Amino acid sequence: MSPLIPALENEPAKTAVRFGDVELSYSELAAAARPLGARIVTRNRVAVWAAPRCETAVAVVAALLAGVPAVPVNPGSGEAELAHIVADCAPDAILVAADEELPTPLAGLPRIDVDLTPDPDEPALGHPESGADSMPALIVYTSGTTGAPKGVVLSRRALAATLDDVADAWQWTDRDVLVHALPLFHVHGLVLGLLGPLRRSGTLHHLVRFTPDAVSHSLPEGTMFFGVPTMYHRLAEQAPGDPVLSRALSGARLLVSGSAALPLRDHEALTQATGQRVIERYGMTETLMSTSVRLDGPYKPGTVGVPLPSVDVRLVDDDGERVTADDGETVGEIQVRGPNLFTEYLGRPDATAEAFAGGWFRTGDMATKDADGFYRIVGRRSTDLIKSGGYRIGAGEIENVLLEHHGVREVAVTGAPDPDLGERVVAWVVPEGEQRPDEAELAELVTRRLAAYKRPREVRFVERLPRNDMGKVLKKELR
């Protein structure tokens, strides 16, 4: 078995992780993780209180070294969700910083405090990592938008495959310092954002809390920045009038956006203010990373790029037949296969079997593909595919066009039952300023840019859009 984090074997004299003002070198990370790993090595699985701090990094690394699956827990989850996770995966213990107070659903678990400077005489694991490549490394719970959260079991092989693939696409090396403020209980922040730099023998600088000013002060020491669209939108708003932020972003080697589509207007605003191009990629908890715009390839803003080296991707229609049209217009469901895929939904064999079609994972995401093999996400089958007048319409492309209007700050597009069309296109708009944009103008903009049948038949103005902790709009709450 090859080590998932090779740098822990030779412990380079450099910073491994930094959270705010607290940092650990590779030797300090190993010194803290190996004794903790020895304490949990006989456990079946452990929960990790995934607060944005060094203790979380130590806990996850300790579990990887011990070959014990780690279950990252969102500190912002409500008690019902926490109780569900505990009942579903039955962790033997929870790893947590000593000064953290745990909520009631977790209070009954054996608690193991994480010490950043343990007693050097405490028993510690030897150097080789435990467990085969096929063994579970993480159990990450889905957001639960389509039912109770499911535990997604991710193997060491899947983690290594996806991290090596994105390293190839982004030319990620040990010289890179990654800056971000992503939560550590999702694969974006935990797998890409924490294990990514550690696998490359690089450095993570976690901001703990995102603000444009924090990026201004920290990114000059970094080479890469990862964020979600809500973060990039704030950067795009502030950068034109903030030369410090603009210079910081201009100096980065790589800017990556994920977890949701980045609107074209934010792509353009950031490029105009900084000269930088933001790269988008596509993945989900069950697949980790599947596609990306490559640093050494063509750049097409608004797309999520091409399949990563070890991943196969295809589009299928409603009958399960492969979509062969590479016209950038024909919509199909994304299906994926490769070593990046999850092993199973914990304790849910029926759900696991239902998620696959002949070895291909059915993502539920809808996309188009152009002649160069670039994929463009148009939405989720369950919430973003609108069937109107015999046409299959992706909500995402309409949202991107509406965001070009100066009077639209935020927008979400859904379908609503219609006796004539089957479904009609509805736009939920957060206005930019106090004056509402003219509804006819919005419809005309979509007609001019896309097609008449994609225009919103109804516009509803709202003060805000409901979002989850990763910034994704919760469209079922709108409906």
Side-chain angles (χ1 to χ4, degrees):
M1 181 199 75
S2 58
L4 190 61
I5 307 176
L8 292 181
E9 304 297 317
N10 52 35
E11 299 177 8
K14 62 190 297 186
T15 299
V17 294
R18 178 182 175 188
F19 286 77
D21 296 328
V22 180
E23 66 178 55
L24 296 174
S25 67
Y26 273 94
S27 60
E28 291 169 331
L29 176 60
R34 293 191 184 283
L36 181 58
R39 295 177 65 185
I40 65 173
V41 71
T42 59
R43 307 277 181 166
N44 185 42
R45 62 181 66 102
V46 294
V48 175
W49 188 248
R53 51 192 301 172
C54 281
E55 285 86 350
T56 301
V58 170
V60 171
V61 170
L64 292 173
L65 292 176
V68 176
V71 185
V73 176
N74 176 3
S77 290
E79 292 199 353
E81 184 172 312
L82 292 174
H84 166 75
I85 291 173
V86 170
D88 191 63
C89 72
D92 299 321
I94 183 163
L95 311 184
V96 57
D99 59 350
E100 293 275 10
E101 183 176 347
L102 295 176
T104 300
L106 303 178
L109 293 175
R111 174 179 178 137
I112 300 177
D113 290 342
V114 180
D115 191 347
L116 299 184
T117 56
D119 186 336
D121 295 329
E122 185 177 347
L125 291 172
H127 282 271
E129 295 177 24
S130 301
D133 289 342
S134 60
M135 295 273 297
L138 298 172
I139 302 173
V140 181
Y141 275 80
T142 62
S143 58
T145 55
T146 58
K150 297 188 288 289
V152 177
V153 180
L154 298 167
S155 69
R156 299 171 63 90
R157 178 186 295 117
L159 300 183
T162 213
L163 292 176
D164 292 347
D165 271 355
V166 295
D168 176 82
W170 302 339
Q171 300 174 13
W172 197 345
T173 75
D174 61 347
R175 297 185 298 277
D176 283 307
V177 177
L178 171 61
V179 176
H180 73 78
L182 298 166
L184 301 182
F185 44 85
H186 287 302
V187 297
H188 192 174
L190 179 61
V191 177
L192 290 189
L194 172 61
L195 300 182
L198 294 181
R199 182 160 177 79
R200 301 269 74 80
S201 305
T203 298
L204 163 64
H205 182 182
H206 197 286
L207 302 177
V208 179
R209 177 175 174 270
F210 171 81
T211 65
D213 287 343
V215 175
S216 295
H217 296 136
S218 302
L219 194 51
E221 300 175 3
T223 60
M224 306 165 66
F225 177 77
F226 291 177
V228 297
T230 50
M231 295 177 181
Y232 278 106
H233 180 68
R234 291 180 62 187
L235 295 174
E237 284 189 318
Q238 186 163 322
D242 185 337
V244 176
L245 176 59
S246 180
R247 283 196 299 271
L249 293 169
S250 298
R253 186 182 72 79
L254 182 68
L255 305 177
V256 180
S257 179
S259 297
L262 181 64
L264 284 172
R265 73 174 184 188
D266 289 333
H267 274 285
E268 294 167 354
L270 284 164
T271 298
Q272 184 173 0
T274 69
Q276 282 279 21
R277 305 183 305 182
V278 180
I279 281 178
E280 290 190 84
R281 84 299 180 282
Y282 166 70
M284 56 194 305
T285 307
E286 291 91 338
T287 68
L288 298 175
M289 293 302 106
S290 299
T291 72
S292 179
V293 174
R294 295 185 60 89
L295 195 61
D296 58 359
Y299 175 67
K300 294 189 178 184
T303 77
V304 293
V306 298
L308 292 168
S310 67
V311 184
D312 293 326
V313 180
R314 70 178 184 181
L315 298 181
V316 299
D317 61 21
D318 286 345
D319 297 322
E321 297 297 322
R322 189 166 195 151
V323 174
T324 57
D326 294 339
D327 55 7
E329 292 290 335
T330 305
V331 175
E333 181 191 17
I334 299 175
Q335 295 189 351
V336 177
R337 67 181 179 185
N340 57 313
L341 291 185
F342 75 121
T343 305
E344 62 176 337
Y345 292 118
L346 184 68
R348 301 282 299 277
D350 292 345
T352 303
E354 186 180 348
F356 286 86
W360 293 83
F361 176 70
R362 301 160 56 189
T363 67
D365 287 322
M366 310 302 291
T368 64
K369 186 175 75 165
D370 68 17
D372 296 320
F374 279 66
Y375 287 82
R376 185 185 303 275
I377 308 297
V378 299
R380 292 286 294 169
R381 175 186 287 276
S382 59
T383 57
D384 297 316
L385 182 63
I386 303 167
K387 296 181 180 180
S388 182
Y391 294 101
R392 290 157 55 89
I393 302 169
E397 59 179 345
I398 303 173
E399 290 164 353
N400 266 328
V401 171
L402 291 175
L403 283 170
E404 296 177 14
H405 193 282
H406 61 85
V408 176
R409 180 174 182 80
E410 298 179 65
V411 64
V413 169
T414 64
D418 187 277
D420 181 41
L421 299 169
E423 285 186 297
R424 65 183 179 276
V425 177
V426 178
W428 304 75
V429 173
V430 178
E432 183 69 76
E434 296 182 2
Q435 186 171 355
R436 294 179 174 183
D438 182 74
E439 295 182 31
E441 277 188 24
L442 298 179
E444 172 60 25
L445 177 63
V446 174
T447 299
R448 189 168 64 250
R449 290 293 306 275
L450 297 176
Y453 66 86
K454 297 181 180 181
R455 71 188 185 278
R457 308 283 179 141
E458 183 180 350
V459 177
R460 301 182 185 181
F461 294 98
V462 294
E463 292 183 2
R464 64 178 183 83
L465 299 177
R467 296 179 182 272
N468 66 12
D469 50 34
M470 291 300 287
K472 294 182 181 179
V473 176
L474 301 173
K475 292 191 175 181
K476 289 189 175 181
E477 293 190 13
L478 290 172
R479 293 184 177 185

